[in-house]
Amino acid sequence: MRRTVVFLKVVNSATRFHIFGVFKHKVQSDAVKSMVKVHTRRHHTARMMDVKTTKVSKARYYIFKLFLCLRYYLDLLIDRLFGIYYDSKREYIPKVKNQLVLESATALARKIQRRELTSVQVVEAFIERIQQVNPIINAIVDNRFEDALSEARQIDQDIANGTIQEVDFQDKPFLGVPFTSKESTAAKGLSWTFGLKKRQGKKASFDAHCIESMKKSGAILLGVSNVPQLNLWQETSNPVFGLTRNPYNTTRNVGGSSGGEAAILAACGSPLGVGTDIGGSARIPAFMCGVFGHKISNSIVSTKGLTYRTGEEEETMVCVGPLARHVDDLLPFIKLLAGSNADRLNLGLQVPVKKLKVYYVTNPKDPLMSPFREEMHSVLLKAVRHLEGLCLEKPQELVFEQLQHQYKLWKYWMSLEMKNFRKDLNNREGDQVNAVWEIIKHFLFGGDFTTATVFNLINGFLKPVNSVWAVEVTQSLKEAFLTKLDDNSVLLYPSAPFPASYHNAALLRPYNFDCFALWNTMKFPVTQVPMGLGKEGLPLGVQVVAAPDQDRLCLAVAKELEREFGGFVPPVIVADK
């Protein structure tokens, strides 16, 4: 045992030097120290007392540190190898020439209302931008440009002849403004395949409830955007429409499942996006593409028309997830989508941010996730420090042991959502797909399903999570959060271990979405807030969490962080006027 401890001490010391300097971007020793600190702080204080007296515990402590260091460098190696393949393939999206596409949806609606702009001018600007960027990023997979322009002309005519008056804009905040939506959400006359070859060419015959609400408000649908197969992956790619690329760096992941939606917003091809969120499906892409994404409180917006959902489901984690480049667009967006349920959210109540209680978690210490890199840790603490200087009460760090089970909890509740998964893959026609055959077929000579879908099939053969344990831990964790979160408090939570990684690298790090999925399990509202760009020019961000139906608190803090840190940063140079 003594020899083991000595050996581990040597390893621990060695990781502080550049013995792994073969990487192009060398990691300074203080970064490794910081990474280890993040994973061992506070939560391990009591354990450290035992380390001094128990050699076995000390050995375990160093083994844990060794594991973290090895995992950290393994991630760097993955990045290095994927970079060798992808970096030469990078493309750049064109500069923004028309300044209209940079404005918020609410600002555009005001200008249309004041007759400073016409709806046609706005719609044409975004159509032109989509046509510029989409051949590069592959975000929009079907469009209705001619119909959109026809609707815009009608709105302009109605404004001109007085049919539409100023009072109409009060109930219709995006009147005359375009929007886009993910392909898996039914939009009449547009593609509705969910990325399944068996549905290739299928068009929706009706509008999902959320699309219907947007259209009734006078917002104009431009098209639908790419998704992973059945929305079940953290990268947007499928055999029907291919891979969607990140506007900040086309070699990088856009997230999923609302990846096409976040990508076209970031590329300034749309001012508003209708996403959905069941395991971070709106917030993961929002994070990776540097826009705002919000998971609305559960049971506020009907799920009718979201993939196979009818809106009659009694219990589900899925929510509509609006995306926008400007936080001011989110509140009217949510109000519009919520309809008669908006009163539950009290969106009209003012939120004095300085009176809020602020809590934060620096690291959930989830062993399935990659170690957090320094820039992600730093950006969360920047948000904490800013609120510390603003709020009357000092932010308080929270540590909950149950957070290490983020994925297991989500996996259990997701298993209740995916009871028909194999039949869904067969478009609910006839028998369910043969999982074993599809797995073999995929790796031998391909098939109709992506590697991500095959991963989900394999996952179905693994030992299920104990239901009694999952229910108990979920309830205890929710109660622990609710002892802190009320109608005057928020929680800052990390988004991911690092910014958008190379395409397909998520297959080697499949659990790095856990910090997003946790809040679907808890059924809490969350806003993903962009916090500038990191050292590689990729978006950084944090999540702002509140108690159920307290969405306005998330939005208020998101607005304050946008004001202080700048919010959305365009991924392209803006051309001279």
Side-chain angles (χ1 to χ4, degrees):
M1 179 60 69
R2 179 176 299 175
R3 291 179 179 177
T4 302
V5 172
V6 171
F7 167 73
L8 291 170
K9 281 184 178 180
V10 171
V11 170
N12 179 57
S13 298
T15 58
R16 301 183 182 186
F17 299 96
H18 287 289
I19 59 174
F20 297 102
V22 294
F23 299 106
K24 182 178 179 180
H25 48 293
K26 295 182 180 180
V27 180
Q28 299 297 324
S29 61
D30 59 344
V32 178
K33 292 177 189 176
S34 176
M35 177 274 298
V36 173
K37 280 183 184 177
V38 169
H39 283 264
T40 56
R41 196 187 328 187
R42 298 204 179 201
H43 169 140
H44 296 289
T45 303
R47 188 183 302 176
M48 288 297 294
M49 299 299 294
D50 294 334
V51 167
K52 295 178 181 179
T53 56
T54 308
K55 292 181 179 180
V56 173
S57 296
K58 196 167 187 177
R60 288 175 180 171
Y61 168 71
Y62 281 111
I63 289 172
F64 179 69
K65 292 184 72 175
L66 175 62
F67 166 77
L68 292 178
C69 290
L70 291 176
R71 181 77 183 274
Y72 185 85
Y73 282 105
L74 176 60
D75 280 331
L76 292 182
L77 177 61
I78 290 170
D79 289 345
R80 176 63 173 153
L81 295 176
F82 276 70
I84 292 172
Y85 176 77
Y86 279 112
D87 283 344
S88 63
K89 302 177 185 296
R90 181 175 180 177
E91 297 180 70
Y92 295 85
I93 64 174
K95 296 178 180 180
V96 169
K97 295 180 180 179
N98 191 332
Q99 307 288 314
L100 288 182
V101 300
L102 294 170
E103 296 195 39
S104 68
T106 49
L108 292 170
R110 282 194 299 268
K111 290 183 177 182
I112 293 172
Q113 178 184 1
R114 296 168 184 166
R115 304 193 187 189
E116 297 171 9
L117 286 173
T118 65
S119 178
V120 168
Q121 286 176 307
V122 176
V123 170
E124 283 180 338
F126 282 101
I127 289 175
E128 181 183 10
R129 184 60 181 166
I130 290 173
Q131 291 171 336
Q132 289 173 342
V133 301
N134 206 55
I136 299 170
I137 64 173
N138 188 37
I140 298 297
V141 296
D142 198 6
N143 70 74
R144 57 189 300 275
F145 291 162
E146 289 303 318
D147 288 340
L149 285 169
S150 177
E151 291 169 14
R153 292 187 196 100
Q154 185 63 53
I155 287 172
D156 288 336
Q157 182 178 331
D158 290 344
I159 292 174
N161 63 26
T163 303
I164 293 177
Q165 300 182 355
E166 290 189 13
V167 67
D168 294 303
F169 283 89
Q170 296 176 13
D171 297 325
K172 300 178 178 182
F174 303 124
L175 185 58
V177 177
F179 75 101
T180 47
S181 177
K182 63 193 297 185
E183 195 260 7
S184 56
T185 298
K188 188 174 181 179
L190 293 181
S191 179
W192 198 37
T193 70
F194 320 153
L196 294 173
K197 278 191 173 181
K198 197 153 191 178
R199 291 177 65 91
Q200 191 162 0
K202 183 174 179 58
K203 306 281 186 177
S205 60
F206 69 100
D207 285 324
H209 179 272
C210 54
I211 302 300
E212 183 180 29
S213 298
M214 292 293 288
K215 286 184 176 180
K216 284 182 177 178
S217 78
I220 299 172
L221 180 64
L222 294 180
V224 291
S225 56
N226 205 17
V227 296
Q229 277 191 325
L230 280 177
N231 292 328
L232 295 173
W233 193 241
Q234 52 194 298
E235 174 153 24
T236 295
S237 179
N238 64 68
V240 179
F241 297 114
L243 174 71
T244 298
R245 301 170 185 86
N246 196 311
Y248 290 88
N249 185 330
T250 58
T251 70
R252 303 304 179 104
N253 183 4
V254 297
S257 61
S258 307
E261 204 53 42
I264 200 62
L265 260 71
C268 303
S270 175
L272 298 170
V274 179
T276 60
D277 199 310
I278 195 171
S281 300
R283 290 163 292 132
I284 298 170
F287 165 67
M288 292 187 176
C289 295
V291 299
F292 290 89
H294 183 76
K295 187 189 89 64
I296 302 177
S297 290
N298 284 66
S299 304
I300 293 292
V301 183
S302 171
T303 59
K304 179 184 177 182
L306 310 186
T307 56
Y308 294 112
R309 297 178 186 273
T310 64
E312 302 297 322
E313 296 83 8
E314 293 183 4
E315 287 292 330
T316 179
M317 293 190 294
V318 72
C319 303
V320 173
L323 298 105
R325 290 194 304 274
H326 304 271
V327 73
D328 282 344
D329 289 338
L330 285 179
L331 192 146
F333 200 170
I334 294 167
K335 186 176 181 180
L336 190 159
L337 292 170
S340 59
N341 287 331
D343 291 342
R344 271 179 51 187
L345 303 180
N346 295 311
L347 295 173
L349 292 181
Q350 293 296 312
V351 180
V353 175
K354 68 177 183 179
K355 294 183 179 180
L356 288 176
K357 295 178 182 177
V358 177
Y359 301 95
Y360 65 99
V361 171
T362 56
N363 193 317
K365 302 176 178 65
D366 183 337
L368 295 178
M369 294 181 68
S370 296
F372 280 76
R373 294 183 187 170
E374 179 60 23
E375 61 181 346
M376 290 303 300
H377 178 56
S378 295
V379 79
L380 186 142
L381 292 183
K382 277 172 60 178
V384 171
R385 284 193 295 268
H386 172 67
L387 294 175
E388 182 176 5
L390 178 67
C391 297
L392 299 176
E393 293 191 32
K394 184 178 180 179
Q396 178 184 340
E397 184 173 6
L398 301 181
V399 177
F400 294 129
E401 190 77 26
Q402 301 101 315
L403 292 177
Q404 66 181 300
H405 303 304
Q406 291 178 127
Y407 176 71
K408 287 180 67 178
L409 296 176
W410 181 80
K411 180 182 178 181
Y412 168 72
W413 293 105
M414 192 61 186
S415 69
L416 304 184
E417 306 266 357
M418 294 174 61
K419 290 181 179 178
N420 295 319
F421 176 54
R422 295 183 190 176
K423 197 161 188 176
D424 289 349
L425 289 175
N426 202 32
N427 196 30
R428 295 192 173 181
E429 298 172 359
D431 298 329
Q432 62 185 17
V433 300
N434 184 315
V436 174
W437 170 236
E438 291 299 336
I439 293 168
I440 294 172
K441 184 167 67 171
H442 177 80
F443 289 109
L444 288 182
F445 43 85
D448 292 342
F449 305 118
T450 63
T451 303
T453 298
V454 170
F455 175 90
N456 286 320
L457 286 171
I458 294 171
N459 199 33
F461 290 107
L462 302 181
K463 182 180 178 181
V465 178
N466 182 281
S467 60
V468 174
W469 174 87
V471 171
E472 288 179 353
V473 175
T474 300
Q475 188 60 34
S476 66
L477 186 55
K478 184 178 292 187
E479 290 173 357
F481 277 119
L482 289 177
T483 61
K484 301 293 184 180
L485 298 179
D486 52 26
D487 61 359
N488 191 50
S489 53
V490 295
L491 171 72
L492 297 184
Y493 204 74
S495 297
F498 37 75
S501 56
Y502 288 99
H503 294 303
N504 299 307
L507 291 165
L508 301 179
R509 303 179 283 216
Y511 307 109
N512 282 353
F513 75 106
D514 289 3
C515 286
F516 296 102
L518 172 69
W519 303 110
N520 297 90
T521 303
M522 296 291 104
K523 296 186 177 179
F524 287 4
V526 192
T527 303
Q528 172 61 42
V529 181
M531 292 282 289
L533 306 182
K535 60 185 180 181
E536 294 184 279
L538 297 167
L540 306 175
V542 298
Q543 296 185 87
V544 182
V545 185
D549 296 347
Q550 305 299 324
D551 300 55
R552 69 187 186 282
L553 304 182
C554 299
L555 301 181
V557 173
K559 185 172 182 177
E560 175 60 30
L561 294 177
E562 179 188 47
R563 185 195 65 78
E564 178 66 17
F565 299 104
F568 169 73
V569 179
V572 292
I573 299 172
V574 179
D576 295 334
K577 294 183 181 179

